[in-house]
Structure formats: structure tokens, C-alpha cells
Amino acid sequence: MFDREYDVIVVGAGHAGSEAAAAAANLGCSTLLITMNLQNIAQMSCNPAMGGIAKGQIVREIDALGGYSGIISDRTAIQFKMLNKSKGPAMWSPRVQSDRMRFAEEWRIMLEQTLNLDFYQDMVSGLLEENGEIKGVRTSLGIEIKAKTVVLTNGTFLNGLIHIGEKQFGGGRAGEKAATGITEQLIEFGFDSGRMKTGTPPRVDGRSLDYSRMVEQPGDEQPEKFSYSDVTKPLKEQRSCHMTYTSLEVHELLREGFDRSPMFNGRIKSIGPRYCPSIEDKINRFADKDRHQLFVEPEGWNTVEVYVNGFSTSLPEDVQFKALKSVVGFENVKFFRPGYAIEYDYFPPTQLTHTLETKLISGLFFAGQINGTTGYEEAASQGLMAGINAALKVKEKESFILKRSEAYIGVLIDDLITKGTEEPYRMFTSRAEYRTLLRQDNADFRLTPKSHEIGLASDSRMKRMEEKEAKAIAFVQFFKDTSVSPEEANPILEEKKSSPINQSGKMFKLFSRPQITLEDIKHFTKVDEYIKENNLDKEVLEQTEIQVKYSGYIEKEKNNADKLNRLENLKIPKDFDYSKLKSLSFEAREKMTKIKPATVSQASRISGVSPSDISVLLVYMGR
């Protein structure tokens, strides 16, 4: 095992590492997954949930590409919700509440059933490198293992430091030691590094809570699922979450501990996630608010452990406990463990290419929180892409890169490597220029053909996608070709307070009206017959409704994306000398020399590069 040279070594078995190892192995590469504790593969370190705003789209994209996160989320879900249903379909975002223990178990089972994949438990303390090329890894036991490529997915473990009040101790997660050695070596190689912070709330005993005093948050009446494949089914039973609130009394009790808070006394120097602030940060920043929401989330089917979402904190444990006891429904609360903050090393992602390979060392890839992101979904998507590209590099095949107009994953990676990040990066729908194209319902249409072409998405997935697409196209055409009479249409139009028609017209036009839904259209005899004859399922019906109702917006966005892609196709040579372009601004010259954009389009998105700088570049390139 140690004498051979692996095609790919993946360091770390969190969400990024698990997806990276699965992708590389499934593409036929001999792969070794090294982690400090094999019992903690794909551990949900923070909240027991997958998906959410924009994150749900990412999980769908991972699934469409042939990754495992969607399937495992479906198999271990205890609740499903489609968020933002009151808005347009570009905003709809699937989310599941997960069974924390079963999620990790299912990931391990899936990985153990994956061909070409070996496992080893040890800490990687160094990298083997020669002349700017990766050659393998060295473990804390002194074992050297050779590899053609290495993917680092170290999460919060690189020199991790845990804070609870005035106490601090080394660790990558509660009860687990930090990883040392890699940061120092990478800095020696010439990499820039930084520190980031994240936090987690207390875990409490559900038997000590009074749910009757909280607001129940049930799942959807007709739950869907993440995976486009037929290997999972929607939930038949669900567990409810609950919602309660903090109060002015709770805020006052928390303030009493601010002098012992590592966030306010200078112990924590790094930046935490802007969109997931700690409870003390919320109270400090939003002093005008009398209360903040807390979501009370069960950790699984058969456990009493509960996650208090919204109460992330690094305050002393006695302050946490006293304040939480004043929350409605928590009067008799018992702790499983207090909340804590953790600081860890990351490497600014402008040091990477679009494949997530480092610019300094050939064959070395970074994925997940090492790149400054936060969230399981963001990490998993990077792991998948790094695993794919490590495998393709070994096979000497063309890289696999997703454009901003093709996937949220493309937006995520482009944002990271072009703009960098100085705070934990989280994906939002607002970060995507083309979110009408990048919906959660069509990720398989967008990405499965691309993944099938490189050999990751299976033939059965491709066939299923093609059948669904053909049915949706045919159903849209049916509405364009089929007329409806005033006698049949007007009763429904009047009921929906929509203008009646005076003569027969195409159904497509009627269906395009904002007041008319698919449920209304189903009342037309020809539509009902068509659905039954062609055995159309919910996915096809939803896809058809979106294509009809939003056809104008979709077409407009496609045209805009095509314009951008013309600039994407204008490649800039790797060794391009920006100093010879005297008309470039000093900032543009400095930033482009550092980031080395691959295309003119990427150059245009660099912070500090102006439209006039891009004009200079285009003129020089003969455009």
C-alpha cells in the first residue's frame, strides 16, 4: 500500500474530501483518502442540515454531476422544505434537516463501496515536492506516500484554536486535535496564508425543552428530494423543527459576559462569517432589535440531542447556560455541550486556477475551508471539482471548468480565484448574474451531459435526464400547438380574475398569464388527457410550467450570457506581461499580474480593474 504511487491522495475526509475522493476514484484513478479519524468521515460539524438559499442549488448541481451529497442527503433526511416558494423559481431552494449520525454513516458506506478507493488513518504533517511539482505526502508517523496529485481539504484543522470564554485550546473540532506542519511548509513554498473564525451553538437535551411554548416548523406537505436519480425516494414521515426567540432579558444576561468574550477582549483576531454571526455579535451590531429568532433543530430520528440554530457563541459556558435558560421553552434546559468559536488557517484562493490547482505547485489542489469558504455545500462542490480535475490531470485530459453562466459552482470558484475573500465566503442567489438560468430544477439539464462526457455521470443518469428533457420540450410544444375555446377557458379565467377571451387561442398564451397555474390548466380536457397518456411526473410538470411562464426572462438571460461567453473565449496567455501595457492603470497592472486571469472576462471581474482597462487589453489583443 505504501510502496505504490497513487494517482490521487485526498487529505481530510470532511464534505470536500469525501466528494473529492469519490470523484477521483469513480473516474478510474487509484485514490487514497487520509484522515485523522476514520470514525468522523463527512461529519456535520455544525448544523444538521443540507441545502438552503443557493446552497440547495449547489447540492442539486453536485448530484447532477454525479457526486454523492444529494443521494446521502435524501437517504438521511428527517425533514424537507422548499424555501422561497412565494418567489419566482430562480429563488426556490431545497433544504433538508438531516440525521447527523446516519449522514456520516451513509457517507462512509458509500465511500467503502467505491472502487479504486483506499483509506488510511493518520495526520498528514507535510508534502513531498520536487521542482515545483507535488510528489506525495508525509504523515505524522513518518510514512511517505507517493502520489501524482494531492488534494488538501483540511477544513478548520490547520492550526485550529478553540475558544470558550477565556479558555482556549488547540483543536480542529470539539474533541479532536488540530493539524500542524502543513501551513508552515506551504508558507516556505511561497504561499500567502491568513486566519479565519467560525463558531457553533450549544447542543442541548431535547427532553429538557418545552416545545408547547414554541412555534412548530413542519416540513412540506408534499416533500421533494435532492437527487435526480431514481435511487432515492421522497420522505413519507418527517420530524418538525421549532422556533422561539431571544428577549431583552436574554440579551442583558449575554452582555454580562462580554468582558470575558474572546470576540471583544482581543483574543480572537480573525474575521468570522458575516451572514452567520454569533449571538453576541448580533446583540452588538443590531442593538435596536428586541429579539432574534432561534430555530430548534432535532439532530436525528432516534436521538434527543438538539441543535440551537441562531445561538452560535464563544461566551463562557456559564453565561451561555444562564442566558439560554431565559429563552421561552428553554427554562429547564440541560446542555450536551457549550457553543465555541474556532480559528484556523486558510490560504487566499487567488493563488489557485479555475481547476482549484495551485499556481505555485503543479498537481496540488485546495478545496473547502482552506480556500476561505463556509458551509458544507460550498466545500462539497469544491471537493468534487478538485477531485475531477486531479483525475483529469493524471489522465492528461482537458480540465473541467464550469462557467458563471453554467452553474452556481462556477460562480463560487470564479468569485474565489478572481476576487479572493477576506471573510468566510458563503453562496447567495444574488452572487449569480444568471440565476434565472441556474435554477434548482434544471441542474441536470445544465450539467449531467457535461459530466457524462468526462465519464463521471452514469449512462442511466444521462438516459433519465434525456427522457425528462424530451418530455418537457414536447409538453411545451403541446401548449404552443393546442387551442382552447372561450367556453372551456372563460369559467377558469373568471374564477382567477383574469380577462376572458372572445375567441379560441393557443394555450401557451393563457398559461403565460401570471394568475394561471398548472393546476388551473389541468382542468382543460386536452391537457388532462395529455398528462395521463404520457405519464408525466411532477418534475416534468414543474419544468414545463417554468419554461412557459418564464420563457421571456430565460431567453433574455441566455442572450446576456452568450455575450459574456464571447469574452470568456478570449484567452490571455499564461505568461502575458501586463507591464508593457502603459495605458493600464497601476492597480489593474498590479492585480492582473498577481491573479493572472485566464480570460478577458475573468480580468473584467477583478476588483479594481475598470472598463477602460479592459478596453486597453482588448485593443492590444486586436479586438
Side-chain angles (χ1 to χ4, degrees):
M1 179 175 172
F2 301 126
D3 294 335
R4 68 184 294 189
E5 181 186 44
Y6 282 94
D7 290 329
V8 182
I9 288 179
V10 178
V11 180
H15 299 258
S18 296
E19 285 287 7
N26 283 326
L27 283 171
C29 286
S30 60
T31 306
L32 177 65
L33 179 59
I34 306 181
T35 183
M36 291 200 290
N37 189 343
L38 285 171
Q39 307 310 313
N40 291 336
I41 286 177
Q43 183 81 271
M44 290 182 135
S45 308
C46 202
N47 61 322
M50 287 291 281
I53 308 299
K55 293 166 175 279
Q57 281 87 331
I58 289 176
V59 177
R60 282 263 162 104
E61 290 178 353
I62 291 170
D63 184 74
L65 288 165
Y68 287 169
S69 288
I71 291 170
I72 286 162
S73 296
D74 287 343
R75 286 179 176 169
T76 60
I78 63 175
Q79 187 195 83
F80 181 95
K81 265 192 173 181
M82 185 67 77
L83 306 180
N84 278 344
K85 261 300 209 182
S86 61
K87 300 179 181 177
M91 306 296 285
W92 298 352
S93 301
R95 181 183 190 271
V96 296
Q97 204 65 38
S98 301
D99 186 311
R100 183 190 298 278
M101 290 184 285
R102 287 199 58 228
F103 185 91
E105 178 190 34
E106 192 66 32
W107 251 114
R108 176 153 176 168
I109 291 167
M110 288 281 279
L111 289 172
E112 287 185 358
Q113 292 173 349
T114 302
L115 296 176
N116 307 313
L117 181 56
D118 291 344
F119 302 85
Y120 185 58
Q121 180 171 295
D122 199 350
M123 184 178 85
V124 170
S125 55
L127 302 171
L128 306 177
E129 175 267 353
E130 280 178 27
N131 303 319
E133 289 186 13
I134 201 73
K135 295 298 179 183
V137 301
R138 181 184 299 107
T139 76
S140 61
L141 292 176
I143 299 166
E144 293 190 350
I145 310 172
K146 299 284 197 301
K148 293 170 185 164
T149 58
V150 171
V151 183
L152 291 185
T153 71
N154 304 78
T156 59
F157 282 77
L158 290 179
N159 293 321
L161 186 63
I162 291 173
H163 297 266
I164 303 176
E166 293 170 303
K167 305 179 183 83
Q168 57 179 217
F169 43 92
R173 191 160 48 205
E176 296 180 63
K177 65 180 181 180
T180 56
I182 291 177
T183 296
E184 294 73 17
Q185 190 183 18
L186 288 173
I187 290 170
E188 281 179 26
F189 289 150
F191 286 90
D192 293 330
S193 76
R195 293 285 274 176
M196 279 188 179
K197 177 206 87 112
T198 190
T200 192
R203 311 294 199 269
V204 303
D205 188 334
R207 297 169 298 184
S208 65
L209 305 182
D210 184 354
Y211 292 106
S212 67
R213 303 194 64 202
M214 305 179 201
V215 181
E216 188 178 6
Q217 302 275 296
D220 289 349
E221 283 186 26
Q222 292 183 299
E224 298 176 42
K225 63 191 187 82
F226 270 121
S227 182
Y228 294 100
S229 69
D230 54 6
V231 300
T232 64
K233 297 281 184 278
L235 285 169
K236 289 194 168 70
E237 284 179 69
Q238 300 188 73
R239 279 198 72 176
S240 288
C241 296
H242 288 80
M243 184 174 67
T244 185
Y245 295 90
T246 61
S247 63
L248 288 174
E249 181 191 358
V250 174
H251 298 178
E252 281 308 311
L253 289 168
L254 289 166
R255 280 194 184 96
E256 287 177 14
F258 276 15
D259 61 327
R260 293 189 286 153
S261 165
M263 279 190 58
F264 300 132
N265 65 16
R267 281 177 180 270
I268 292 178
K269 296 179 175 65
S270 45
I271 300 171
R274 178 191 300 263
Y275 302 103
C276 189
S278 64
I279 190 68
E280 55 265 43
D281 203 19
K282 286 186 211 173
I283 293 167
N284 198 42
R285 278 166 54 189
F286 308 110
D288 56 320
K289 290 201 178 290
D290 294 343
R291 64 179 193 171
H292 294 283
Q293 284 180 333
L294 299 178
F295 291 97
V296 183
E297 302 177 346
E299 298 250 334
W301 288 113
N302 303 311
T303 179
V304 296
E305 191 171 356
V306 166
Y307 179 90
V308 190
N309 196 338
F311 206 87
S312 174
T313 181
S314 57
L315 285 165
E317 63 274 20
D318 58 314
V319 176
Q320 296 182 34
F321 185 61
K322 194 195 294 186
L324 206 50
K325 276 176 74 75
S326 295
V327 171
V328 173
F330 280 72
E331 293 81 3
N332 299 306
V333 68
K334 293 179 181 176
F335 269 26
F336 271 22
R337 77 163 198 225
Y340 63 87
I342 181 166
E343 288 186 287
Y344 55 93
D345 294 336
Y346 85 103
F347 291 82
T350 50
Q351 301 171 99
L352 307 175
T353 68
H354 273 98
T355 63
L356 298 181
E357 185 177 15
T358 65
K359 294 172 184 174
L360 280 175
I361 298 180
S362 175
L364 178 63
F365 295 76
F366 291 173
Q369 283 177 287
I370 193 172
N371 291 335
T373 58
T374 179
Y376 308 145
E377 302 83 0
E378 289 89 343
S381 67
Q382 292 172 70
L384 178 73
M385 296 301 285
I388 289 171
N389 280 305
L392 294 176
K393 185 179 181 74
V394 168
K395 293 171 176 287
E396 298 181 349
K397 291 186 177 177
E398 192 179 342
S399 301
F400 186 69
I401 295 168
L402 296 173
K403 296 175 186 170
R404 295 182 73 91
S405 57
E406 292 174 331
Y408 272 94
I409 297 173
V411 175
L412 167 72
I413 292 173
D414 185 66
D415 273 358
L416 290 173
I417 70 160
T418 303
K419 300 172 184 174
T421 186
E422 292 177 356
E423 61 183 51
Y425 178 102
R426 177 179 175 180
M427 180 52 74
F428 287 103
T429 49
S430 57
R431 294 193 190 271
E433 309 92 303
Y434 306 113
R435 55 186 175 272
T436 307
L437 300 179
L438 309 184
R439 305 183 311 277
Q440 55 84 31
D441 60 272
N442 70 349
D444 53 345
F445 294 171
R446 291 185 276 121
L447 301 177
T448 299
K450 292 177 181 296
S451 183
H452 183 259
E453 196 175 319
I454 62 168
L456 187 57
S458 63
D459 291 344
S460 61
R461 270 186 180 270
M462 188 65 185
K463 186 182 176 193
R464 186 178 170 85
M465 184 281 297
E466 287 173 336
E467 287 172 357
K468 175 182 159 187
E469 187 176 38
K471 284 182 176 181
I473 291 169
F475 199 22
V476 171
Q477 194 60 45
F478 164 82
F479 285 112
K480 289 179 177 178
D481 296 341
T482 310
S483 299
V484 62
S485 67
E487 292 77 22
E488 191 174 13
N490 285 341
I492 292 168
L493 296 177
E494 285 165 16
E495 185 188 328
K496 301 295 285 193
K497 296 187 172 64
S498 187
S499 304
I501 57 175
N502 300 320
Q503 59 187 38
S504 293
K506 299 299 182 191
M507 283 189 193
F508 188 91
K509 200 170 179 182
L510 282 188
F511 198 2
S512 299
R513 295 187 183 189
Q515 309 93 325
I516 307 303
T517 67
L518 181 63
E519 291 306 311
D520 301 320
I521 289 286
K522 278 181 183 176
H523 288 111
F524 298 151
T525 308
K526 290 177 183 173
V527 176
D528 187 50
E529 288 173 353
Y530 186 95
I531 291 171
K532 287 174 181 171
E533 281 173 17
N534 292 277
N535 194 25
L536 303 186
D537 60 21
K538 188 179 179 183
E539 281 186 30
V540 173
L541 297 179
E542 182 182 81
Q543 187 60 227
T544 304
E545 184 168 21
I546 291 167
Q547 291 294 340
V548 171
K549 286 198 167 299
Y550 294 90
S551 57
Y553 297 102
I554 291 168
E555 199 55 42
K556 185 179 177 184
E557 210 151 272
K558 272 184 183 167
N559 291 336
N560 288 339
D562 288 343
K563 287 175 189 171
L564 178 87
N565 285 337
R566 286 173 211 154
L567 288 181
E568 286 286 1
N569 294 330
L570 283 178
K571 308 286 185 195
I572 302 175
K574 277 184 181 178
D575 54 354
F576 190 85
D577 182 6
Y578 294 95
S579 64
K580 64 188 175 189
L581 301 187
K582 301 303 178 190
S583 301
L584 276 183
S585 69
F586 178 79
E587 185 179 4
R589 200 177 304 136
E590 190 180 57
K591 294 271 182 76
M592 288 198 271
T593 299
K594 182 181 179 183
I595 291 169
K596 294 183 171 59
T599 65
V600 174
S601 177
Q602 187 192 355
S604 73
R605 293 189 293 274
I606 297 172
S607 174
V609 174
S610 69
S612 61
D613 292 320
I614 295 302
S615 295
V616 170
L617 192 57
L618 286 170
V619 167
Y620 183 83
M621 295 178 76
R623 296 292 181 130

